[in-house]
Amino acid sequence: MTMSDVAERVKKIVVEHLGVEEAKVTEDASFIDDLGADSLDTVELVMAFEEEFGCEIPDDAAEKIVTVKDAIAFIQENA
Amino acid sequence: MFDLSGKSALVTGASGGIGGAIARALHTAGAQVALSGTRVEPLEALAGELGERAFVVPCSLADAEATAALPGQAEEAMGGLDILVNNAGLTRDQLAMRMKDEDWQQVLDINLTASFRLSRAVLRGMMKRRWGRIIGITSIVGVTGNPGQTNYAASKAGMIGYSKSLAGEVAARGITVNCIAPGFIETAMTDVLPEAQREKLLTSIPAQRLGRPEDIGTACVYLASEEAAYVTGQTLHVNGGMAMI
């Protein structure tokens, strides 16, 4: 998986799950502060990432995924 | 109304009087049912009686790992899991002054902790499907208290507390979390009451009869139904007017 491939798929999931405009989903965007996610949304996003990339994201790692960039980096390293 | 066709339900403690009636009622309303309990024989007998759409998934709720795995087994058997009924429970009655730590702990472990573990384990699938019903069978004594049942009452009050909290967490995902609080129901547990005590009991019940297990089954069908989608975080008291709360 290339970096841009992962980024693209992550952003697509974020757009679908949070119902936000694609332009808002920058790599620095925080799910909660910038994209209007609540804590349960972030749990669902992690579930969606796990499914899309066939990986397991443990709870302690999930807690550190705050921005779009964090998600891309974790998946890049672990999927 | 109250058609559960196409829905799949897991009922714990299905070998008991109330659990069996709940499973029957859900099944009659069209749901598939996975019957859980520790005693396989009565579960098999009930599954045989129900015929199609009934599965047996034995589990000891004292075992944390087995408990966490139970929803997955039920889902595998039925191809889905939309309704969880936490009905399994036990009593270890004793005056508080004489109650042993292990009697306290065992009741909390099975009635409260195991039911929470099951609720937690079914959430993922329900969130994905944007539909779910979690129903806890609590007890009137969880609200009123009852001498000799500090452990049991605490476990049942605990169920009500976590159900309300969980209801708030998942309401926006189409999942409701409610409790049913039976009063005195005719089961093996109340059959053993001496006649005099039974008579006395009846004077405290405006309906002048004990409840039937079917009364709980029907309440369960309602809370599991599509029609009850807007009811969450509630405790439905089914007690013949014994306590009006």
Side-chain angles (χ1 to χ4, degrees):
Chain A
M1 267 186 290
T2 66
M3 184 77 177
S4 62
D5 181 33
V6 172
E8 199 107 318
R9 284 158 70 187
V10 164
K11 286 180 185 174
K12 189 165 172 275
I13 288 171
V14 174
V15 167
E16 279 171 10
H17 272 261
L18 300 181
V20 289
E21 285 170 39
E22 213 176 322
K24 280 194 170 175
V25 188
T26 62
E27 299 209 352
D28 288 324
S30 152
F31 296 118
I32 291 177
D33 296 335
D34 301 316
L35 302 176
D38 63 20
S39 54
L40 191 61
D41 288 322
T42 63
V43 173
E44 278 193 307
L45 276 175
V46 166
M47 278 165 48
F49 294 147
E50 286 178 334
E51 250 168 57
E52 172 77 15
F53 297 100
C55 61
E56 194 167 322
I57 306 178
D59 288 345
D60 53 343
E63 276 171 27
K64 293 189 191 113
I65 298 178
V66 176
T67 64
V68 176
K69 193 165 57 188
D70 297 337
I72 296 169
F74 181 90
I75 291 157
Q76 192 73 32
E77 280 165 34
N78 297 281
Chain B
M1 220 184 214
F2 307 155
D3 179 11
L4 299 179
S5 301
K7 301 293 186 199
S8 301
L10 168 60
V11 181
T12 67
S15 50
I18 292 179
I22 290 169
R24 275 193 194 93
L26 295 172
H27 189 267
T28 302
Q32 296 193 86
V33 290
L35 313 169
S36 194
T38 49
R39 291 173 295 141
V40 177
E41 214 171 287
L43 296 176
E44 295 281 5
L46 178 56
E49 178 198 318
L50 295 177
E52 284 178 13
R53 296 183 281 113
F55 306 86
V56 173
V57 283
C59 180
S60 165
L61 297 180
D63 180 338
E65 260 177 56
T67 304
L70 176 60
Q73 290 163 0
E75 190 162 352
E76 203 169 303
M78 299 185 290
L81 182 52
D82 310 290
I83 301 159
L84 168 66
V85 185
N86 279 313
N87 166 71
L90 51 82
T91 55
R92 291 284 180 272
D93 297 354
Q94 183 58 272
L95 291 174
M97 291 179 74
R98 296 217 172 102
M99 186 166 293
K100 294 188 174 67
D101 278 354
E102 60 196 69
D103 290 335
W104 171 270
Q105 197 58 49
Q106 193 184 9
V107 168
L108 268 288
D109 283 349
I110 301 298
N111 297 8
L112 183 62
T113 307
S115 76
F116 171 73
R117 285 188 179 124
L118 290 173
S119 302
R120 183 177 57 190
V122 301
L123 287 174
R124 199 183 175 101
M126 289 180 179
M127 276 180 41
K128 266 170 41 187
R129 285 189 284 271
R130 288 285 189 271
W131 203 95
R133 297 285 186 266
I134 297 174
I135 301 168
I137 306 304
T138 172
S139 166
I140 183 176
V141 310
V143 177
T144 63
N146 193 26
Q149 294 198 306
T150 49
N151 50 0
Y152 185 75
S155 72
K156 294 302 187 179
M159 281 181 93
I160 294 174
Y162 87 64
S163 295
K164 289 177 178 177
S165 303
L166 180 55
E169 290 183 18
V170 298
R173 303 299 190 277
I175 303 168
T176 69
V177 188
N178 292 290
C179 288
I180 295 170
F184 278 90
I185 306 296
E186 283 172 3
T187 63
M189 218 194 284
T190 48
D191 278 349
V192 297
L193 291 175
E195 193 55 36
Q197 203 178 333
R198 213 181 156 87
E199 286 299 317
K200 197 174 154 218
L201 189 61
L202 287 177
T203 62
S204 66
I205 305 174
Q208 295 184 336
R209 67 168 176 90
L210 296 191
R212 288 182 279 264
E214 294 75 27
D215 295 323
I216 308 305
T218 311
C220 220
V221 168
Y222 166 63
L223 288 176
S225 71
E226 191 56 50
E227 286 83 352
Y230 203 55
V231 178
T232 194
Q234 303 302 312
T235 299
L236 178 53
H237 288 268
V238 182
N239 61 27
M242 190 176 172
M244 303 187 191
I245 305 147

